[in-house]
Amino acid sequence: MDPARLLRVLMEQSSDHTLILLDEGGKVVGWMMAASNLFGRTADDMLGRSTHCLFTPEDQAAGVPEKELEHARQSGTGEDDRWMLRSDGLRFWASGVVYCLREGGAVIGYAKVLRDRTDVRGQVEALRNRAELLGAEDRRKTVMLGTLAHELRNPLGAVSNAAHLIDHALPNDERVSYALQVLKRQTRY
């Protein structure tokens, strides 16, 4: 079996992984069916063009497409997770890597492999939101317990003072001795 054929069939059948091949200048020279499925753009739309239209406007303005290729050129690969743009304007969370392809030391192109991980991003966001809610609940609980402790000190102080007054007024009175011991022990703070 021809490995190139297997790779082509894989890229045609994959729905959430794709491979985009770029020439040494960053222009698309290989656009797999999976890329069409993922980005909503055909090979005719993309061949010979840069990948700028796949990036969000914020990333385009920040020069991310160029920085991504430059990083891969310098280090061999560049991994990142970011929002990417479909042709209809909808965003999806992509996890990917760009490989700098060299032959005889010269850069001959790039391979961008990415996967739609919007599902994972949604889970991460849900967990982050849940953690923030739990933190807020914990802070409210701490404030409530602090308020409760403060509010309980006032009546306990009065009970403690009353126990001391009774003890001084009726020293060694066995009728109240046990009750006074309990009061003193329970109102110590």
Side-chain angles (χ1 to χ4, degrees):
M1 181 59 67
D2 177 26
R5 180 177 172 207
L6 289 175
L7 181 60
R8 182 185 52 77
V9 171
L10 170 66
M11 290 296 109
E12 288 173 358
Q13 293 177 3
S14 176
S15 61
D16 61 354
H17 287 82
T18 193
L19 169 66
I20 302 168
L21 299 173
L22 309 171
D23 67 13
E24 66 280 358
K27 302 288 186 208
V28 176
V29 294
W31 186 260
M32 307 303 166
M33 179 58 83
S36 293
N37 296 338
L38 194 57
F39 288 99
R41 297 177 185 276
T42 67
D44 288 340
D45 294 336
M46 292 304 300
L47 290 176
R49 294 181 60 194
S50 76
T51 58
H52 277 76
C53 62
L54 308 178
F55 290 82
T56 64
E58 310 85 72
D59 284 348
Q60 289 177 30
V64 169
E66 295 84 4
K67 290 176 184 175
E68 187 176 74
L69 295 181
E70 180 59 30
H71 181 73
R73 186 173 19 262
Q74 290 188 14
S75 65
T77 62
E79 292 186 48
D80 63 8
D81 296 328
R82 72 176 67 261
W83 290 108
M84 299 294 287
L85 207 54
R86 299 183 201 278
S87 64
D88 59 8
L90 292 177
R91 295 174 183 223
F92 68 95
W93 187 254
S95 179
V97 61
V98 175
Y99 296 95
C100 181
L101 306 175
R102 296 178 189 273
E103 196 170 65
V107 174
I108 61 168
Y110 300 90
K112 184 174 181 72
V113 180
L114 60 93
R115 181 175 185 195
D116 181 352
R117 295 312 315 220
T118 306
D119 58 334
V120 172
R121 179 66 180 204
Q123 293 169 1
V124 168
E125 288 298 319
L127 288 171
R128 184 176 293 130
N129 291 340
R130 182 70 179 138
E132 287 175 11
L133 285 173
L134 289 172
E137 286 178 21
D138 187 52
R139 288 185 294 278
R140 283 193 300 275
K141 178 189 71 169
T142 300
V143 168
M144 190 252 334
L145 288 174
T147 302
L148 181 61
H150 176 74
E151 293 299 322
L152 286 176
R153 282 189 192 111
N154 291 335
L156 288 177
V159 170
S160 177
N161 288 338
H164 287 293
L165 289 173
I166 292 170
D167 192 25
H168 288 302
L170 303 170
N172 303 321
D173 187 332
E174 292 195 22
R175 294 174 298 163
V176 294
S177 176
Y178 177 74
L180 285 173
Q181 288 174 6
V182 170
L183 283 172
K184 286 178 181 179
R185 184 175 62 247
Q186 298 297 324
T187 58
R188 240 180 283 138
Y189 58 91

